[in-house]
Amino acid sequence: MTQETVDEAARLRRENSMMRQQLMAAGKRNETLTKTLRGAREELTRIKAEVAALSEPPNTFGTVLTAVAGTGEARTVEVLASGRRMRLAVAPEVSDTALVPGAEVRLSEGLVVIAAAAGRGVGDVAPVRELLPDGERVLVGGPNDEELVYRLSEGLRAHGVRVGDAVLVDRRTQFASEVVDKPEVQTLLLEEVPSISYADIGGLAPQIGQIKDAVEMPFEHPELFTEHGLKPPKGILLYGPPGCGKTLIAKAVAHSLSSRRKDPRAKSYFINVKGPELLDKYVGETERQLRIIFSRAREKATAGSPVVVFFDEMESLFRTRGTGKSSDVETTIVPQLLAEIDGVEKLENVIVIGASNREDLIDPAILRPGRLDVKIRIERPDPAGAVDICSKYVTDALPFRADLRAEGLPALIARIVDRMYARTERNAFVRATYADGTTETLHFADFASGAMISNIVDRAKKHAIKDFLASGVKGLAWEHFDLAVAEEFAEHEDLPNTSNPDEWARISGRKGARIVELETLQGT
């Protein structure tokens, strides 16, 4: 191979290398240009979309009034838009399932339904007063005590609505679209199944027997009552001093009815209505809520479930009419309750139980036979009843010190009750002066209650815990119970109302001659 051939080959290699470098540089420039063109194309597309959106005519919105008519391209639907009721064509891409009564839709410039739209979720809130027979409309209360008829949206119809529910309504479209939860109404209509049983209640065996005869026997043996021409009582009044178990008994009734129901799928309900919470400053609102309560009770009862409607502090709602108290609101509230109890719609499986510390203030029309038929006085516990109550709280499960454990629970409970009921100077409470001039020293035993006994045991437990943390010695000792009784009595020393002694005495359950003066006595 000559020198010229070698030089030519080297030259060609150099030129080939240079061409490859130039080709790679050109490829990189081409790739950069491609990216630039792609970005420019995307930006142009975005700008075109923005221009199209800015130049697009405005859409209007409407509410579907009826279901879709026709098929295919001939589909039409009635829509309320801008206050006008129109029958409009439906675009092919819009499905029939989106066009249900009450649904929001978007309309084109040519008034064609082109898409479904999300509901606004705002409007007026109105209470449902009545469900109309067609199942598609409801009667609701409006401002100034108006009554308005609204159609139920498809979603609300499927969800279900009840009398008393608060619903969201649109005055423009005249549709009710959803149920709005109102916490205060839900509180009034607390539908619970209490866990309290008769076994948890001490010292009230006679009263529990009366309750069972009045409530459970008609419920368990309705055929015998029908055969003998007897009607089960519509209601029961539990009256007596505070803290003696009236509310516990009412809850135990609901629990017992639930455990004795024939259909295991049926559920017992306890609607707890606290009188002061039901009162409302707006005229007619309390009566409306009473209607809601009994409507809800009837609704639950028609499913075969026993329902207990419990009115606590009954005298705060249903005072004797014409007394001039409570701004005379009782002149309309009492008739509303009577109408619900005596109404055309029977209260099947519904028991009304009222509790009161001042039964003398309740309107007599409520207490007559045929309404609250059964009246049961819940007395303060005597020493035997106090032993029974105390045994519910002082049990073997508690940690006791050795001396009390050796003494035995019956002896300990008797000792606690003796300490409470001792008519000594140490337990003197108040000196009452009666209208005839006579005086009487009343002791704490005269004002004992189940709630007081429960508090005493709880106080003793807290003292035992404090002693354990301080000294390391665990267990309840007699000193803890003795101190608990003294503290409980001391807390009550300043409670008597000396400015209105007779009123205080009546609320506390004292009967007899009128008390004109009270003098509190400092225990020693």
Side-chain angles (χ1 to χ4, degrees):
M1 181 180 294
T2 64
Q3 184 62 39
E4 292 179 356
T5 303
V6 172
D7 293 342
E8 182 65 18
R11 184 184 65 79
L12 290 175
R13 284 195 294 270
R14 288 194 299 272
E15 289 179 356
N16 184 46
S17 176
M18 291 175 62
M19 291 179 67
R20 282 200 301 269
Q21 291 176 1
Q22 291 173 357
L23 184 61
M24 290 177 63
K28 291 180 178 179
R29 288 194 299 271
N30 185 57
E31 184 178 351
T32 302
L33 181 60
T34 300
K35 289 181 178 179
T36 303
L37 290 174
R38 187 181 298 114
R41 187 182 299 112
E42 291 175 352
E43 182 68 14
L44 182 61
T45 302
R46 185 185 64 79
I47 293 173
K48 285 183 177 180
E50 287 184 1
V51 170
L54 292 172
S55 60
E56 185 177 324
N59 292 139
T60 55
F61 291 84
T63 302
V64 177
L65 299 179
T66 61
V68 176
T71 58
E73 296 182 357
R75 292 184 305 160
T76 60
V77 66
E78 286 190 15
V79 174
L80 181 69
S82 303
R84 294 188 299 164
R85 181 172 181 169
M86 299 176 287
R87 181 168 287 277
L88 305 178
V90 181
E93 62 270 17
V94 182
S95 67
D96 289 353
T97 56
L99 303 177
V100 294
E104 296 285 323
V105 291
R106 187 156 57 94
L107 309 178
S108 69
E109 185 184 18
L111 296 180
V112 175
V113 178
I114 57 175
R120 295 184 301 162
V122 295
D124 299 326
V125 176
V128 175
R129 293 184 176 176
E130 187 177 344
L131 305 178
L132 298 185
D134 58 17
E136 298 181 356
R137 298 175 298 156
V138 291
L139 180 70
V140 303
N144 302 320
D145 208 27
E146 297 174 346
E147 290 188 331
L148 307 170
V149 175
Y150 281 83
R151 296 181 63 190
L152 296 174
S153 68
E154 191 73 16
L156 188 54
R157 202 182 307 170
H159 174 273
V161 65
R162 303 183 293 189
V163 172
D165 283 345
V167 293
L168 185 67
V169 297
D170 189 333
R171 288 179 174 271
R172 179 179 53 87
T173 63
Q174 296 181 325
F175 265 100
S177 57
E178 64 177 288
V179 174
V180 179
D181 290 331
K182 298 186 71 175
E184 67 274 13
V185 174
Q186 297 305 319
T187 300
L188 291 174
L189 300 181
L190 178 63
E191 299 164 355
E192 59 178 8
V193 181
S195 58
I196 301 294
S197 69
Y198 293 132
D200 299 319
I201 304 174
L204 295 175
Q207 290 87 344
I208 291 174
Q210 289 179 269
I211 286 280
K212 288 182 177 180
D213 290 344
V215 178
E216 295 184 4
M217 191 162 58
F219 181 75
E220 291 181 343
H221 307 286
E223 68 287 348
L224 294 178
F225 273 68
T226 302
E227 182 182 353
H228 288 78
L230 281 176
K231 293 182 179 179
K234 293 181 180 179
I236 298 170
L237 176 68
L238 304 175
Y239 66 97
C244 292
K246 296 185 292 295
T247 303
L248 285 179
I249 285 184
K251 290 184 176 182
V253 169
H255 177 82
S256 180
L257 291 178
S258 178
S259 62
R260 293 171 179 269
R261 61 188 184 275
K262 295 180 180 179
D263 184 354
R265 295 170 298 178
K267 183 180 179 182
S268 176
Y269 291 93
F270 181 77
I271 301 181
N272 188 7
V273 185
K274 296 180 180 179
E277 292 183 2
L278 194 65
L279 288 172
D280 197 285
K281 64 181 179 180
Y282 295 107
V283 175
E285 189 64 16
T286 301
E287 293 86 336
R288 182 185 69 83
Q289 295 194 61
L290 271 175
R291 290 195 296 271
I292 292 173
I293 289 167
F294 280 93
S295 174
R296 192 65 51 84
R298 290 188 184 95
E299 176 188 320
K300 298 295 184 184
T302 51
S305 303
V307 180
V308 173
V309 181
F310 177 59
F311 288 95
D312 204 1
E313 306 292 343
M314 201 171 192
E315 75 281 357
S316 65
L317 271 179
F318 308 111
R319 285 179 178 266
T320 302
R321 288 166 286 184
T323 58
K325 298 181 180 180
S326 306
S327 302
D328 279 338
V329 295
E330 63 274 358
T331 56
T332 54
I333 298 176
V334 169
Q336 182 64 52
L337 177 65
L338 301 181
E340 295 295 341
I341 296 178
D342 299 337
V344 176
E345 297 182 60
K346 293 183 178 179
L347 288 177
E348 298 286 347
N349 285 341
V350 177
I351 297 294
V352 178
I353 299 181
S356 175
N357 303 327
R358 290 296 306 272
E359 69 285 354
D360 55 307
L361 298 180
I362 299 175
D363 194 287
I366 296 175
L367 304 180
R368 74 158 175 80
R371 288 168 182 164
L372 297 191
D373 308 80
V374 182
K375 301 161 190 68
I376 301 175
R377 178 170 177 81
I378 309 299
E379 298 281 3
R380 291 190 180 277
D382 57 14
V387 167
D388 189 18
I389 295 171
C390 198
S391 66
K392 307 295 181 183
Y393 303 106
V394 180
T395 65
D396 283 322
L398 297 177
F400 295 101
R401 293 188 183 177
D403 56 337
L404 286 190
R405 183 70 69 182
E407 183 179 347
L409 287 188
L412 171 61
I413 292 172
R415 196 173 171 187
I416 296 171
V417 172
D418 288 344
R419 169 70 177 86
M420 288 179 59
Y421 280 77
R423 294 187 174 275
T424 61
E425 184 178 352
R426 184 183 184 188
N427 284 358
F429 185 27
V430 293
R431 181 175 293 109
T433 302
Y434 296 97
D436 60 3
T438 60
T439 61
E440 180 184 8
T441 298
L442 302 177
H443 295 79
F444 285 105
D446 298 312
F447 299 92
S449 67
M452 179 183 286
I453 295 171
S454 175
N455 275 355
I456 288 172
V457 176
D458 286 345
R459 287 177 187 273
K461 293 175 182 177
K462 291 176 184 177
H463 286 305
I465 292 173
K466 289 173 65 176
D467 271 4
F468 172 67
L469 295 176
S471 64
V473 180
K474 180 179 286 189
L476 285 154
W478 168 249
E479 291 75 16
H480 299 144
F481 289 102
D482 186 60
L483 180 58
V485 173
E487 288 180 346
E488 184 69 21
F489 288 174
E491 266 194 9
H492 287 75
E493 286 174 359
D494 295 328
L495 296 184
N497 184 352
T498 54
S499 61
N500 195 345
D502 194 59
E503 186 76 9
W504 172 82
R506 289 184 180 278
I507 293 175
S508 300
R510 297 290 300 178
K511 302 296 180 182
R514 186 168 66 90
I515 297 177
V516 295
E517 184 181 350
L518 282 177
E519 178 189 355
T520 56
L521 303 175
Q522 179 67 40
T524 57

